[in-house]
Every structure is written in C-alpha cells, then in structure tokens.
Amino acid sequence: MNPAVFAAALALAVPSSQRLVAPAVPPSSEVFGGRVVLAADATAEEAALYGAALSAILKTPTGRSLAEAFGDVPGAPVTVRFEDLERVGGKAVTEDGKDAVVLSRAPMSWKREWAVLRYAELLAHELLGHMLSSRRARAQGVAWEHSA
C-alpha cells in the first residue's frame, strides 16, 4: 500500500485525541555535545545525507539515549567522512590519535529515502556502537583502538 494513502486512512480512522505525536527532534549538536563533526571537505550532498541520517537516529528513544551517552563520554570530536569503500558500509577508525567514522559513498546513488535509512543505520552502528564502546573503554583506562 502507498504510505501516503495509509497515513491518510489512519488519520481518518483514529480520533485526533488518540493520535501519537512524534517528539520534537533536538539539533544533533545539542544531543552529541559537539562531539561529532562532518569532515570539512564534505560535499553539499554528503552534508544533507549526514544531517538527515542524524535526524533519523535522534527520532528514536534509543538513538537519543545513546547520543546523549556519547556526548557525556570524554574525547575530541569524531569526524564523519565519506569515501569510496570496497563495500556498502562503514568503519570506525582511530588515525594518528583522532577518531573518525568513514562511510561508503555508494548509497548516495540510491533513492534518497533509502540512502538516509542506510546512513542512519551505518552511523548508529559505527558511532553509537563501536566508537562509543571504544571511548567508554578509554575512559576506564582500557586501551582499545579501531584501525583502518
């Protein structure tokens, strides 16, 4: 079924007093505490997809919770950058003592909504999974680095 038709039908079927309202999404800079930045050489398309992916992550309670936890862990900002990788994926790396998340450019050629979902998935996995775990370990004095 067409999602727009489904949404319209649902709006008619559910009284307005019972409809769920999506929570307002705070700016990513507030939630991540300025600890995540896009690479300075990012294109406008990369910046748009990055912003949309972060917004998608922050629309979920789990995403917001992990983003807040990430903002609370000490460390310099993580740079997110896009590269031509051999696969559609990403990786969390530490290079010259600086943390980065590298995302494949491949999804940029996809339908926009699919690309946003894929980048949200990749960012959540690499940033809020691998990088958050690595930073928590470092904060506890355990050496754990991701390498390229």
Side-chain angles (χ1 to χ4, degrees):
M1 175 183 268
N2 181 323
V5 172
F6 179 74
L10 186 61
L12 292 173
V14 179
S16 61
S17 62
Q18 295 179 359
R19 288 191 196 132
L20 295 175
V21 177
V25 178
S28 60
S29 59
E30 288 178 18
V31 179
F32 283 99
R35 296 190 191 276
V36 181
V37 297
L38 184 61
D41 63 349
T43 66
E45 182 181 12
E46 291 168 347
L49 286 168
Y50 165 79
L54 283 181
S55 291
I57 291 169
L58 297 177
K59 285 181 183 176
T60 68
T62 302
R64 282 192 307 277
S65 174
L66 289 172
E68 289 168 0
F70 191 90
D72 292 339
V73 177
V78 173
T79 300
V80 176
R81 67 178 188 263
F82 293 81
E83 292 182 3
D84 295 320
L85 301 178
E86 292 181 14
R87 58 187 173 78
V88 177
K91 56 186 177 179
V93 297
T94 302
E95 302 164 328
D96 299 323
K98 296 179 182 176
D99 292 332
V101 169
V102 182
L103 302 174
S104 170
R105 285 194 176 109
M108 290 184 163
S109 63
W110 299 359
K111 194 173 181 180
R112 180 168 165 68
E113 55 266 28
W114 296 350
V116 169
L117 290 175
R118 181 61 174 151
Y119 281 128
E121 174 192 349
L122 290 170
L123 267 175
H125 177 85
E126 299 300 340
L127 187 65
L128 302 177
H130 295 298
M131 196 57 69
L132 178 58
S133 296
S134 178
R135 286 184 165 215
R136 283 178 170 164
R138 270 188 243 145
Q140 296 298 317
V142 179
W144 179 18
E145 302 296 331
H146 292 278
S147 60

